[in-house]
Amino acid sequence: MFVARSIAADHKDLIHDVSYDFHGRRMATCSSDQSVKVWDKSENGEWHCTASWKTHSGSVWRVTWAHPEFGQVLASCSFDRTAAVWEEIVGESNDKQRGLSHWIKRTTLVDSRTSVTDVKFAPKHMGLMLTTCSADGVVRIYEAPDVMNLSQWSLQHEISCKLSCSCISWNPSSSRAHPAMFAVGSDDSNVTYGGKVQIYEYNENTRKYAKAETLMTVTDAVHDIAFAPNLGRSFHVLAIATKDVRIFKLVPMRKESTSTGPTKFEVQIVAQFDNHNSQVWRVSWNITSTLLASSGDDGCVRLWKANYMDNWKCTGILKGDGSPLTGSSGQPTAMSTVVGSSVQTSQNALNGMSAGRIGKRAPFAPPLRQLTSPKINQHPAYY
Amino acid sequence: MEEVDVEPAVTNIPAASSGTHLGFAWGPGDILVYETLYKASGKCTGSGDIHEVRKDEDIYSPILRKLFNESHHIFVGLQTIREDLPSKNKKPQFVSISKNYRSVIRACMEELQQVVSILLAIELIWNLCEVLFIDAAPAGSLLLHLLDWVRLHKADVDEKAREVLQSESPAEHRDYWDVVVSYVLQGRLEEARQMLVKQATLQPAARKMYKQMDTLNISPGGTQTLTEFDVKWRHWHEEVDRCLQDNSFASNKHLELICKILVGDEDTLLEHKDLLSTWYHFLVTRLLFCHPTVKPTELHYYAQSCLTMFLDSRSVPEPLDSILLAAFEFDIHQVIKDCSIALNNWWFVAHLTDLLDHCKLLQSHNLHFGSNLREFLLLEYASGLFTHHSLWQLAVDYFDHCPEFGRVYLELQIERVPLDTERKALKVLRICEQRQMSEQVRSICKIMAMRALRNNRLGSALSWSIRAKDAAFATLISERFLQDYCARGTFSDLDLIDNLGPAMLLSDRLTFLGKYREFHKLYGEKRFREASKLLLSLMTAKIAPRSFWMTLLTDALPLLEQKEVSHHIQLIYSRLNCLCVSISHLDNVVHCSLHFSAYL
């Protein structure tokens, strides 16, 4: 892999979250400087900041996009105990020419008494629903019944998880085979309090969410959690960032016809990686759930892939090299496009040679003259 | 078959300081990486950069795009070969398809000199796989195929030969003997003879060699059986050996050398590593002169020993070597696996595995996941194509031919194709509609409708809502149209509303909009009777929204002046009487109805 481009984000403090929109053409960044920035990708692949505004009175932890069926809508959550919903207003023509857009606040959700640690939209088939979780251990689910009026949100569910919450993830599957489901992770560090991941399921009869499962084997603080896209499977896959990376398989067990409670699951651990050698802070799946990325205390991002036999392996590492990019530190310029550490010769096309890689590489080819060459160390296409 | 443990590659991200964490966000075809800190700490002075990280495979190269486009045609053609044909009819087709793939590779090679080395390797491997697996040459023709294979990949001999022949005195050119020996090593004895002719005129001894090689122009295959050939070959071999023993060529070291090669002397062959240049050339040459009737199942013994003999003790086999060795061992699975590891582009393994699967070669192995492997590789390849702004369309066909997961992968990924223009959206829609992906159709139309609405393009928004069959949204937009009308007195997007047709029935409000516009048209054409009839029916059918009753009343007023509609107007008046009881703007209506009654 190589760094194709670097963008001077120009936040005045640490960035806590970066979020791509559904089509990968826009991105939102949020920071301890209390602001959110929105970036648009132009046709030639360059990023332009089209909006930057103060959103909260504390560090902004997460920012997320609603599905484009609902328009251009963002949600953010902050240390200031609130979450907010923002909508882009189609601006005046001269604004458009300058490449700027305006975002206005549609609502502030003030129910939490502590820092709001995560904010996520529910899958679109459930309507426009927003979920927050807080350090006070409460998960709140809000709904905007009228999609055209984003200033009206009602608190539909308030679920007390008893432990301080750090992350939520909805099961993205829209299959009718199972009810709506989300997972909550807790960063409570007291290991005697048992499972730090709880799974909640919607009950059609009671019209409420009930706890379906607690993953008792996860006893350390959980920092991030992510359901994998479903791909038509009958079971669910959940990745967890805790003191290591863990992937669980949740297999729904057959329900008795008389049972009205939540689904029972058979919980299997599919993989566990402690390569980060330290706390793992984020996990996230790519669109087809064929790759999982994790970020840890070791300052690396690791990529994990399963082969067709379902064996998981690390297939790549992104490591901060501790050296600043020349010419971009502290410059408030729009863009510094750096074609990373690789020379874009067409020879890279199939072979993927990059000058930034560790170790020498010999061409993968029948030797034309030489008879011996050093062994190559390729990025494997793990199959 | 054990797992080869390959260490993951490390990519460096320029970061301002050590001791920070790396945050990330998945994107289409890339991953964004940025410095952050996940635990509370002191304030920092500013944020670092956000880095866009991509995989090395450069699918944006225009040459590779040609490769992908052409191989897509071949792929689709392969999928449509009828299952019920007997395998003897199918084999020539498979071989032909294999040759097509290879010719595409060669076409790309011609265009892109720098990538030649990689493509050469790919073509080398593919060619060997075709010979061994797809064509499945039996003993006899196997050697001929292998000779062709080696000759195809050792083109420098011809260049040298050309140089020599074009010189003033070819037999004295310094490369002369190299060329002759190279020809012999490649089994191109006719050409070697022609070269020797130049020598023969100078030296009589060469004439004998010349004659000897004449009799060697026997090759397996043709009309003789393998046994017949074997007998002939042994006889010939003995003859050559005799020549060597009785020192017929002792006077000319070159000719003696050639004789030793013809008899298959290992040491002599190994002395010419520079001319052979690869162990597999050495293998084929050795087989040619020692065991021309080699059976496919015996190949790997010779291959392994040749590899060992050829590489000196210092050098290590390279990935290419292991792949070729695995092919000689007929371990298809290992070939695919090693290729996946050595090349980080899925194109090669995906297409080759697919072809091998069609030849039913993956299933004959003791692996129940034969077809799953094919699908796995095709899904990987196609998913990689999907992030490209134009190649994504090729990927669709690949997903179509993955029976287990193709559809769900397509559904997931096609939703994410950016809908930059209406034309692109329609293209994406057509693909979804052809496959009855109704949820994706609805979603895309809804996204387009929402976008149009935000930009106040009501006509476009309405037409997308209709296509999405989204009644609620159609209602909303119809309301906007009506509000617009109330504010401005005219309709926008008349064409659209006039030509709604049966789509009008999607929602009550939309029906009202369509009919109301019709009312205006009738009035404009002075067809007052029909206009008033329509107006009456609008009120009777109760599809007129309340907010619109005042407007309808106002519209009815001018009709009062038209004598032929007085009957209708009376009815309207009486209808209004019934309606006005429940209206909140009671006084308005009372005034209006008073006005009416003045006319009656």
Side-chain angles (χ1 to χ4, degrees), chain B residues 362-373:
Chain B
L362 291 185
Q363 290 168 14
S364 64
H365 276 242
N366 207 4
L367 310 164
H368 61 275
F369 41 72
S371 63
N372 285 347
L373 173 61

Side-chain angles (χ1 to χ4, degrees), chain B residues 43-96:
Chain B
K43 205 166 162 29
C44 97
T45 50
S47 75
D49 291 348
I50 299 172
H51 308 282
E52 229 182 72
V53 180
R54 293 187 176 283
K55 285 181 75 165
D56 287 320
E57 59 197 42
D58 183 8
I59 64 169
Y60 303 98
S61 158
I63 303 305
L64 286 188
R65 209 171 319 152
K66 179 191 166 101
L67 180 73
F68 296 149
N69 272 306
E70 310 262 322
S71 58
H72 167 250
H73 292 305
I74 304 171
F75 174 84
V76 172
L78 170 60
Q79 310 309 313
T80 56
I81 287 181
R82 286 174 46 205
E83 275 295 313
D84 51 358
L85 288 177
S87 51
K88 72 170 164 63
N89 290 18
K90 282 195 272 189
K91 180 159 116 166
Q93 286 191 64
F94 289 142
V95 174
S96 158

Side-chain angles (χ1 to χ4, degrees), chain A residues 35-345:
Chain A
S35 75
V36 164
K37 286 179 196 274
V38 171
W39 306 76
D40 282 31
K41 196 168 191 175
S42 66
E43 274 180 27
N44 61 1
E46 296 206 335
W47 289 98
H48 300 275
C49 181
T50 52
S52 171
W53 73 103
K54 180 161 146 67
T55 49
H56 291 274
S57 51
S59 291
V60 188
W61 299 129
R62 303 261 200 168
V63 66
T64 183
W65 294 83
H67 193 277
E69 275 188 37
F70 302 113
Q72 297 297 303
V73 177
L74 278 174
S76 59
C77 69
S78 162
F79 179 73
D80 72 359
R81 306 192 299 271
T82 70
V85 176
W86 311 88
E87 187 174 18
E88 188 182 37
I89 298 303
V90 175
E92 303 299 309
S93 54
N94 52 341
D95 274 339
K96 264 213 182 105
Q97 276 163 13
R98 285 191 295 154
L100 295 175
S101 67
H102 293 284
W103 290 77
I104 66 172
K105 186 191 285 203
R106 287 303 189 197
T107 194
T108 313
L109 306 170
V110 298
D111 304 274
S112 175
R113 286 187 300 276
T114 56
S115 170
V116 183
T117 50
D118 199 359
V119 63
K120 292 268 173 22
F121 283 99
K124 68 166 158 54
H125 68 269
M126 295 173 62
L128 187 52
M129 291 182 72
L130 189 66
T131 324
T132 60
C133 71
S134 307
D136 65 6
V138 180
V139 170
R140 294 178 174 87
I141 304 180
Y142 301 86
E143 183 174 13
D146 180 2
V147 159
M148 298 311 293
N149 180 4
L150 294 184
S151 45
Q152 296 301 323
W153 291 79
S154 67
L155 175 59
Q156 299 281 66
H157 305 275
E158 209 163 8
I159 298 149
S160 174
C161 303
K162 314 257 192 313
L163 295 170
S164 149
C165 302
S166 59
C167 50
I168 6 167
S169 173
W170 280 93
N171 187 336
S173 156
S174 56
S175 156
R176 289 199 199 114
H178 58 81
M181 170 192 315
F182 66 88
V184 195
S186 164
D187 57 351
D188 189 302
S189 47
N190 191 328
V191 296
T192 57
Y193 280 157
K196 296 290 164 33
V197 174
Q198 300 172 32
I199 318 272
Y200 288 85
E201 214 185 43
Y202 187 68
N203 185 319
E204 288 289 342
N205 299 322
T206 61
R207 312 256 221 102
K208 283 190 172 15
Y209 283 87
K211 189 178 338 190
E213 190 71 48
T214 306
L215 300 184
M216 296 306 297
T217 53
V218 184
T219 51
D220 297 277
V222 167
H223 307 294
D224 201 10
I225 198 166
F227 268 107
N230 188 265
L231 293 181
R233 297 182 290 237
S234 59
F235 56 89
H236 313 293
V237 176
L238 185 63
I240 295 172
T242 170
K243 67 167 198 247
D244 48 31
V245 176
R246 276 182 228 187
I247 304 175
F248 284 92
K249 188 165 152 176
L250 302 168
V251 187
M253 303 206 283
R254 192 92 77 100
K255 256 190 166 151
E256 306 294 315
S257 52
T258 51
S259 147
T260 50
T263 314
K264 293 257 176 293
F265 292 100
E266 186 197 327
V267 178
Q268 301 167 11
I269 184 149
V270 166
Q272 191 163 352
F273 308 112
D274 54 12
N275 305 57
H276 283 288
N277 233 346
S278 52
Q279 294 295 321
V280 181
W281 292 93
R282 284 289 176 93
V283 281
S284 171
W285 297 93
N286 71 345
I287 292 168
T288 48
S289 75
T290 48
L291 273 175
L292 176 70
S294 64
S295 173
D297 249 346
D298 59 349
C300 292
V301 173
R302 283 185 157 74
L303 304 176
W304 310 93
K305 187 174 177 61
N307 70 356
Y308 68 95
M309 293 296 284
D310 238 2
N311 293 326
W312 287 84
K313 239 175 92 138
C314 178
T315 59
I317 303 173
L318 306 175
K319 181 174 159 39
D321 67 3
S323 61
L325 199 56
T326 50
S328 71
S329 43
Q331 301 289 336
T333 53
M335 218 65 49
S336 60
T337 304
V338 173
V339 180
S341 46
S342 85
V343 177
Q344 286 286 74
T345 64

